[in-house]
């Protein structure tokens, strides 16, 4: 199958007009530096649609002033190959000016999500995500859009945006793709030094151990505190390791409803996130 590249809204609309005559459109928004995790999303979208559009846009408004926006890896040619192999028909790689033209001033607030987990540690992050994803969904107007559980809170934010703003799209969640040693695949893993890369899988091991302890009856706050101690002793600086309601991400006391154990921790200058289902 042929893979086309467009870089602005006019060319996107023209390409989409052609794709829509062929059937349904699926959409996978990304920031590029595509890996097997992204490819799994594209494949999932392809199972559900005739054509898949992949966006590649490192969105400046979702990065804080001291975050990694300027050093975020960029490799459009390689990404095109990955997207093509996974079954995409169109890559939309807009400039910042195409997404945020002169005078742009409206944004969507992620509301309560700004107060919990990553929302609390990355002020403005989810407003940036909500706004850019809403814009992309309104430009592409796909029947389905696929997001990874790797960014679990982001998935919850998107589900809320789509529900609250009546966006006519079905959101599909894709499971986390991992390296063979358990580390969740991430474009940011490229920042890790060889030494840090050896330590990084401990984050997933700790998630699994913490789940085991909670299932064995240990109070979840005790289990997560032990997990934080373990990660800290191995050199991580933990932002949070917490159990939350899987749908609302509210704090929970007991395991009566599906829950999600989520972690964010720094290893040197790299911030890693991961999560696992419970109950
Ligand atoms: P990003 O390029 O990091 O913004 O990610 C784009 C999409 O790919 C998001 O929906 C992510 O949740 C998803 N994603 C990233 N890494 C993984 C992974 N290891 N497994 C599954 N989905 C992923």
């Amino acid at each position: 199958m042929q893979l086309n590249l467009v870089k602005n809204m006019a060319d996107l609309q023209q390409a989409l007009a052609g794709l829509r005559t062929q059937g349904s459109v699926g959409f996978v928004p990304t920031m590029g530096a595509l890996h097997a995790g992204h490819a799994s999303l594209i494949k999932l979208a392809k199972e559900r649609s005739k054509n898949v559009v992949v966006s590649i846009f490192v969105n400046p408004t979702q990065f804080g002033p001291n975050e990694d926006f300027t050093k975020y890896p960029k490799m459009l040619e390689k990404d095109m190959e990955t997207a093509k192999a996974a079954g995409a028909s169109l890559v939309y790689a807009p400039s910042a000016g195409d997404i945020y033209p002169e005078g742009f001033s409206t944004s969507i607030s992620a509301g309560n999500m700004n107060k919990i987990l990553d929302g609390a540690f990355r002020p403005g992050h989810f407003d940036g995500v909500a706004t850019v994803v809403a814009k992309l969904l309104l430009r592409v107007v796909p029947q389905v859009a696929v997001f990874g559980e790797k960014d679990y809170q982001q998935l919850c934010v998107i589900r809320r945006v789509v529900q609250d703003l009546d966006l006519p799209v079905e959101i599909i969640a894709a499971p986390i793709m991992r390296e063979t040693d358990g580390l969740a695949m991430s474009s940011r893993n490229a920042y890790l030094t060889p030494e840090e890369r050896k330590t990084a899988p401990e984050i997933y091991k700790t998630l699994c151990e913490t789940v085991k302890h909670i299932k064995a009856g240990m109070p979840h706050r005790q289990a997560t505190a032990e997990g934080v101690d373990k990660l800290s002793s191995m050199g991580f600086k933990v932002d949070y390791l917490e159990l939350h309601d899987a749908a609302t991400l509210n704090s929970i006391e007991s395991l009566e409803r599906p829950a999600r154990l989520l972690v964010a921790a720094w290893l040197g200058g790299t911030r890693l996130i991961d999560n696992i289902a419970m109950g």
Side-chain angles (χ1 to χ4, degrees):
M1 181 171 308
Q2 199 193 337
L3 176 66
N4 290 319
L5 172 66
V6 290
K7 295 193 169 183
N8 60 58
M9 176 145 79
D11 290 347
L12 171 70
Q13 296 310 342
Q14 196 179 1
L16 278 168
L19 295 185
R20 286 195 191 105
T21 62
Q22 298 171 16
S24 60
V25 171
F27 181 43
V28 179
T30 80
M31 297 204 298
L34 302 185
H35 49 65
H38 297 109
S40 74
L41 271 56
I42 297 169
K43 287 177 194 154
L44 199 53
K46 181 69 183 162
E47 282 171 21
R48 295 287 307 272
S49 1
K50 172 81 178 123
N51 286 293
V52 177
V53 178
V54 176
S55 65
I56 295 179
F57 180 57
V58 185
N59 175 36
T61 68
Q62 69 190 65
F63 287 79
N66 299 316
E67 293 186 349
D68 56 340
F69 173 65
T70 49
K71 71 166 183 176
Y72 201 85
K74 292 186 184 64
M75 45 187 87
L76 186 56
E77 249 172 62
K78 186 164 173 280
D79 285 349
M80 291 289 291
E81 282 169 28
T82 308
K84 185 174 179 185
S89 303
L90 182 67
V91 168
Y92 173 41
S95 63
D98 183 59
I99 297 289
Y100 303 114
E102 185 82 25
F104 182 90
S105 79
T106 305
S107 75
I108 294 172
S109 166
N112 237 3
M113 285 290 188
N114 288 321
K115 297 188 191 134
I116 49 179
L117 299 166
D118 265 2
F121 283 93
R122 304 185 67 189
H125 171 67
F126 287 121
D127 291 350
V129 168
T131 304
V132 79
V133 171
K135 277 178 70 78
L136 291 168
L137 288 172
L138 289 166
R139 284 187 178 192
V140 177
V141 199
Q143 279 72 53
V144 300
V146 185
F147 292 83
E149 289 184 339
K150 157 85 184 354
D151 300 86
Y152 193 80
Q153 190 174 8
Q154 170 173 280
L155 173 65
C156 296
V157 167
I158 304 303
R159 284 196 193 284
R160 272 258 62 99
V161 169
V162 164
Q163 193 178 335
D164 293 350
L165 301 183
D166 310 316
L167 300 184
V169 59
E170 181 188 346
I171 301 300
I172 299 175
I176 301 174
M177 295 292 284
R178 300 182 178 282
E179 305 288 356
T180 46
D181 58 10
L183 177 65
M185 290 180 181
S186 165
S187 309
R188 290 190 164 102
N189 292 348
Y191 301 154
L192 298 169
T193 64
E195 210 46 46
E196 288 167 348
R197 177 62 189 82
K198 280 187 210 150
T199 310
E202 293 296 334
I203 218 167
Y204 179 56
K205 275 193 206 150
T206 304
L207 277 180
C208 295
E209 266 174 34
T210 307
V211 164
K212 236 202 260 167
H213 290 157
I214 298 170
K215 282 191 174 157
M218 189 186 283
H220 74 80
R221 289 184 211 289
Q222 183 188 339
T224 51
E226 286 185 10
V228 170
D229 286 348
K230 187 186 159 205
L231 286 171
S232 304
S233 73
M234 286 181 298
F236 290 89
K237 190 180 119 350
V238 181
D239 279 353
Y240 58 79
L241 170 60
E242 292 175 16
L243 191 67
H244 285 252
D245 182 287
T248 62
L249 287 188
N250 290 333
S251 296
I252 53 167
E253 294 310 318
S254 63
L255 268 177
E256 278 155 20
R257 290 149 52 91
R260 205 89 190 176
L261 183 65
L262 304 104
V263 62
W266 291 86
L267 193 53
T270 307
R271 189 171 187 272
L272 301 170
I273 58 170
D274 202 347
N275 65 84
I276 190 168
M278 263 217 81

